[in-house]
């Protein structure tokens, strides 16, 4: 087992699936204790059990990122179970299509509540424990769609663009207090959030991405590992794109 996160205790929202699962698995392989928080309880427990079965330190807690009390329980559980909290990964998120003409107020509210307010609530709930631990960090998962527009995903773009500056504001707020805050902007990564992609859509994605294909969850996990590790001790307020050079041509 490698040790790039030895001594770290990480709370990872949305850790039951996709990018969160990959980050939880890699963090644990690198020595961190990991608390997986998700609304998908069965899948989340499976991930925690699988990590523990391979000799890692992991547990699961039901977490709804839109709920401040739920965040308070998750932070308290991390500290009770693993002694402290050094690392928060705000990874949970949803996507649904819809432009100005067809997005509904309910759809907008749900997207903002999970993707944007969830990140604010997570940082707010975790900050006291992260400050107490010292040498801490937050990794927020935005999206390439937080940096560039497209037709037909209006509330997703708005929510992910907000995460970009939520991160920068927090990075400055905590710059002298031992919490680093960084953001990852994944392009198109093969996870369940993509839903059922048709062969036509798959071809369009391959055509749009300079490196020719969507990425793998581990591509994001390795970026997250670096930002969470002490190797990034002078890195805060940073934006790390993991997008197969997609944004380079925009
Ligand atoms: P995913 O659907 O596999 O995982 C998202 C997880 O978030 C799920 O386990 C889900 O249960 C959880 N979740 C949803 N609502 C929640 C809530 N209210 N409280 C707690 N957990 C909740 O998708 P993914 O691709 O792994 O997405 C992870 C993050 O990466 C998201 O923020 C997503 O927007 C972002 N992202 C993904 C891609 C991509 O192409 N896969 C690209 C850019 C950004």
């Amino acid at each position: 087992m490698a040790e790039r996160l030895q001594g770290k205790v990480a709370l990872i929202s949305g850790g039951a699936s996709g990018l969160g699962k990959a980050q939880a698995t890699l963090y644990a392989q690198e020595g961190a204790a990991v608390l997986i928080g998700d609304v998908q309880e069965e899948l989340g427990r499976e991930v925690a059990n699988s990590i523990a079965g391979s000799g890692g330190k992991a547990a699961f807690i039901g977490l709804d990122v839109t709920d401040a009390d739920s965040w308070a329980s998750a932070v308290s559980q991390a500290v009770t179970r693993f002694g402290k909290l050094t690392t928060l990964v705000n990874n949970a998120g949803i996507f649904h299509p819809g432009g100005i003409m067809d997005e509904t107020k309910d759809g907008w509210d749900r997207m903002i509540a999970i993707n944007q307010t969830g990140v604010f609530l997570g940082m707010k709930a975790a900050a006291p424990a992260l400050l107490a631990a010292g040498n801490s960090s937050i990794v927020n998962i935005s999206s390439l769609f937080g940096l560039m527009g497209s037709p037909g995903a209006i509330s997703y773009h708005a929510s992910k663009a907000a995460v970009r500056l939520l991160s920068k504001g927090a990075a400055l707020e905590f710059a002298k207090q031992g919490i680093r805050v960084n953001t990852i902007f994944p392009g198109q990564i093969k996870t369940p959030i993509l839903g059922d992609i048709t062969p036509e859509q798959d071809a369009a994605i391959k055509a749009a991405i300079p490196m020719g294909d969507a990425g793998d969850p581990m591509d994001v996990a390795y970026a997250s590992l670096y930002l969470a590790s002490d190797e990034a001790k002078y890195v805060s307020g940073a934006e790390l794109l993991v997008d197969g050079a997609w944004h380079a041509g925009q």
Side-chain angles (χ1 to χ4, degrees):
M1 190 170 285
E3 298 188 338
R4 290 172 69 188
L5 296 182
Q6 201 63 46
K8 304 288 187 196
V9 178
L11 170 56
I12 302 181
S13 74
S17 171
L19 304 186
K21 176 180 173 181
Q23 290 170 94
T25 306
L26 184 60
Y27 275 35
Q29 279 169 7
E30 293 290 342
V34 175
L35 183 60
I36 292 158
D38 205 298
V39 286
Q40 298 196 76
E41 305 229 345
E42 204 179 316
L43 277 183
R45 281 186 209 291
E46 272 174 31
V47 175
N49 289 341
S50 149
I51 292 172
S54 312
K57 287 183 277 253
F60 172 80
I61 186 165
L63 168 68
D64 178 353
V65 296
T66 67
D67 183 78
D69 293 338
S70 185
W71 270 114
S73 303
V75 170
S76 145
Q77 172 78 4
V79 173
T80 307
R81 185 152 185 147
F82 298 119
K84 60 184 173 178
L85 181 68
T86 65
T87 312
L88 170 68
V89 184
N90 276 310
N91 165 85
I94 59 164
F95 173 85
H96 59 246
I100 296 286
M101 298 302 283
D102 46 23
E103 175 64 298
T104 63
K105 170 74 163 50
D106 284 351
W108 166 272
D109 285 346
R110 184 167 144 71
M111 189 81 80
I112 298 298
I114 295 173
N115 290 7
Q116 178 176 335
T117 310
V119 171
F120 164 69
L121 291 176
M123 293 199 289
K124 191 167 180 60
L130 296 172
L131 288 169
N135 194 21
S136 299
S137 84
I138 298 172
V139 179
N140 289 329
I141 307 297
S142 175
S143 167
L144 189 56
F145 276 13
L147 294 175
M148 65 183 227
S150 70
I154 200 74
S155 50
Y156 189 76
H157 283 295
S159 68
K160 290 299 187 178
V163 172
R164 181 181 187 213
L165 286 182
L166 268 167
S167 298
K168 287 181 189 283
L172 295 171
E173 181 174 346
F174 296 122
K176 287 195 168 60
Q177 295 173 277
I179 309 178
R180 298 179 296 101
V181 187
N182 293 294
T183 313
I184 296 176
F185 298 81
Q188 189 84 282
I189 313 289
K190 295 162 197 156
T191 74
I193 209 172
L194 299 183
D196 296 323
I197 292 194
T198 64
E200 293 74 29
Q201 288 167 326
D202 190 49
I205 290 167
K206 288 192 167 81
I209 299 173
M211 287 177 73
D213 199 359
D216 298 315
M218 288 305 287
D219 295 326
V220 173
Y222 280 115
S224 179
L225 166 64
Y226 164 67
L227 292 173
S229 78
D230 292 340
E231 296 158 19
K233 71 180 175 52
Y234 195 57
V235 179
S236 192
E239 307 191 336
L240 184 42
L241 280 72
V242 183
D243 70 343
W246 195 347
H247 194 253
Q250 299 303 308

